[in-house]
């Protein structure tokens, strides 16, 4: 199975994923960003500003996830923001066609909490100096995507919770839904 952690940039997906793999048996993290990084070296791909706009990225995420699950078994935890509904539908449909159950969660917090978290994330802001502005710039896209995300996923309000509590809530939800 796949546990997909969606939400805006800076919502705590990576931190929650790290906690989640300790709670879900045989779980491992699959960071789909690396598929995009791999494709950035292909010279003839058009410049698009976000590798998710490349159809090969979406197809390779599905294929890579399927291959990893076939090889490793267990569960993949995928901390990946997808804010374009058509892209999510394409990924979800591909995973379903491969027979992979997907548990989709959106990590959400109110705008003030999100902004505070982005501004005070010293580790990311130090290691990736442009990440802070990237995250701040994409808050509006997330807000615009929230209606369809709310239909497609279980929304978890992370504002009052620690990453450990969010991970426990998700693990319990997945466990209750898994036969």
């Amino acid at each position: 199975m796949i546990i997909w952690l969606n939400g805006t940039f800076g919502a705590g997906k990576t931190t929650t994923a790290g906690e989640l793999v300790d709670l879900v048996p045989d779980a491992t993290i699959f960071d789909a960003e690396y598929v995009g990084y791999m494709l950035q070296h292909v010279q003839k791909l058009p410049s698009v500003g976000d590798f998710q706009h490349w159809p090969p990225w979406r197809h390779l995420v599905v294929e890579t996830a399927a291959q990893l699950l076939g090889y490793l078994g267990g569960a993949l935890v995928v901390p990946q923001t997808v804010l374009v509904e058509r892209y999510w539908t394409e990924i979800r449909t591909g995973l379903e066609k491969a027979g992979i159950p997907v548990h989709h969660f959106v990590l959400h917090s109110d705008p003030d909490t999100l902004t505070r978290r982005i501004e005070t994330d010293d580790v990311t802001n130090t290691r990736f100096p442009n990440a802070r502005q990237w995250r701040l710039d994409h808050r509006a896209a997330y807000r615009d995507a929230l209606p369809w995300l709310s239909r497609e996923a279980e929304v978890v309000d992370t504002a009052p919770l620690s990453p450990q509590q969010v991970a426990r809530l998700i693990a319990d939800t997945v466990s209750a839904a898994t036969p």
Side-chain angles (χ1 to χ4, degrees):
M1 79 173 139
I2 289 181
I3 303 170
W4 196 288
L5 304 179
N6 206 338
T8 193
F9 304 95
K13 297 178 300 295
T14 301
T15 303
T16 300
E19 297 289 335
L20 197 54
V21 295
D22 293 334
L23 300 173
V24 176
D26 297 319
T28 191
I29 295 173
F30 166 46
D31 189 341
E33 294 267 330
Y34 286 95
V35 174
Y37 300 151
M38 176 189 72
L39 289 174
Q40 288 176 334
H41 298 284
V42 178
Q43 294 177 358
K44 289 191 177 185
L45 284 172
S47 178
V48 292
D50 183 340
F51 51 71
Q52 290 188 14
H53 299 315
W54 292 321
W57 178 82
R58 301 186 299 275
H59 294 283
L60 286 170
V61 165
V62 170
E63 185 60 29
T64 304
Q67 290 294 321
L68 285 170
L69 283 171
Y71 185 68
L72 299 172
L76 290 182
V77 178
V78 183
Q80 179 67 50
T81 299
V82 178
L83 299 180
V84 177
E85 184 174 12
R86 182 172 53 96
Y87 297 172
W88 172 251
T89 301
E90 192 175 324
I91 291 167
R92 179 184 38 87
T93 301
L95 293 168
E96 288 171 354
K97 284 182 181 177
I100 302 168
V102 178
H103 301 274
H104 186 196
F105 296 89
V106 173
L107 304 188
H108 176 79
S109 64
D110 61 88
D112 291 339
T113 300
L114 176 64
T115 300
R116 187 181 72 253
R117 288 177 178 171
I118 292 169
E119 295 282 356
T120 60
D121 184 356
D122 290 335
V123 172
T124 301
N125 291 335
T126 301
R127 287 181 51 213
F128 305 101
N130 297 331
R132 178 183 163 280
Q133 195 58 51
W134 170 268
R135 290 172 172 185
L136 291 171
D137 290 347
H138 284 80
R139 291 174 300 172
Y142 170 72
R143 184 187 61 241
D144 293 346
L146 193 54
W148 75 260
L149 285 168
S150 298
R151 289 190 310 273
E152 286 286 325
E154 182 162 340
V155 177
V156 178
D157 181 3
T158 65
L161 304 173
S162 70
Q164 296 83 8
Q165 291 170 315
V166 174
R168 171 52 62 197
L169 177 74
I170 291 170
D172 290 347
T173 301
V174 169
S175 178
T178 305

